[in-house]
Amino acid sequence: MTDMAKAVRLMIFDVDGVMTDGSLYYTDAGEELKAFNSLDGHGLKMLRATGVKLAIITGRTSKLVEKRAKDLGVDYLYQGAHDKRASYEDLLLAAGVSKDACGYMGDDVIDIPVMRRVAFAVAVPDSPELVRKHAHYITGSPGGRGAVREVCEYLMQAQGTLDAAMAPYLA
């Protein structure tokens, strides 16, 4: 697994169930709310600072996700992607990265087509069994509760950049 993670230059994430716990909250006015984990967000910022590009491919469309992606410096955002494989193929061209340098983190069957095409596929522990079968790595933490941070640190450890990323906090 470490060798697969070492090659990742573009890490792609689903949102609901990965960057959030998968719950969907609506106000009486019909506005959607999502809760994002700040530890996950800092992990994404640290990973990006090491030179790994970040992308989101999500089946839903939300201004909240657009704002979160902008706040985190996500390089590529694909929303409303009901065919995630097609978005993934577009992303490869846009980013100029081969599938051998891509990782993907998902939680449901809609994610399997991309998980099967990347070098490093990740699932969260509460994913359906079929999804977990297609993962190279299953996080110990659940989606929206540190799973993204865990993967970011795993990638940095595999690529030899974790100590340098943590050094400013230990000085």
Side-chain angles (χ1 to χ4, degrees), residues 44-116:
L44 288 165
K45 287 181 178 182
M46 289 190 301
L47 181 63
R48 187 172 187 270
T50 70
V52 174
K53 293 181 181 184
L54 305 176
I56 291 173
I57 300 177
T58 179
R60 299 178 55 80
T61 301
S62 167
K63 288 182 181 180
L64 294 170
V65 172
E66 186 176 338
K67 179 172 180 9
R68 184 67 171 157
K70 184 178 179 183
D71 289 349
L72 297 173
V74 171
D75 301 285
Y76 304 94
L77 174 62
Y78 292 81
Q79 295 198 78
H82 301 291
D83 178 357
K84 290 190 176 189
R85 185 177 66 171
S87 296
Y88 169 69
E89 297 296 335
D90 288 346
L91 175 58
L92 289 179
L93 292 173
V97 176
S98 76
K99 64 180 183 153
D100 297 329
C102 289
Y104 183 85
M105 185 173 182
D107 73 311
D108 207 348
V109 294
I110 191 173
D111 299 306
I112 293 173
V114 178
M115 292 174 73
R116 293 182 62 193

Side-chain angles (χ1 to χ4, degrees), residues 20-35:
T20 74
D21 69 3
S23 298
L24 300 175
Y25 300 94
Y26 294 94
T27 66
D28 285 341
E31 294 179 44
E32 185 176 359
L33 304 174
K34 295 180 187 290

Side-chain angles (χ1 to χ4, degrees), residues 109-158:
V109 294
I110 191 173
D111 299 306
I112 293 173
V114 178
M115 292 174 73
R116 293 182 62 193
R117 287 166 173 79
V118 296
F120 183 60
V122 181
V124 294
D126 54 346
S127 298
E129 182 180 350
L130 182 61
V131 176
R132 293 190 315 268
K133 284 183 180 180
H134 287 90
H136 300 113
Y137 181 83
I138 300 169
T139 63
S141 301
R145 299 287 183 257
V148 170
R149 176 64 168 267
E150 180 181 332
V151 169
C152 291
E153 289 188 10
Y154 184 87
L155 289 167
M156 290 186 285
Q157 181 70 45

Side-chain angles (χ1 to χ4, degrees), residues 153 156-157 160-170:
E153 289 188 10
M156 290 186 285
Q157 181 70 45
T161 59
L162 182 60
D163 289 344
M166 296 300 175
Y169 307 108
L170 300 172

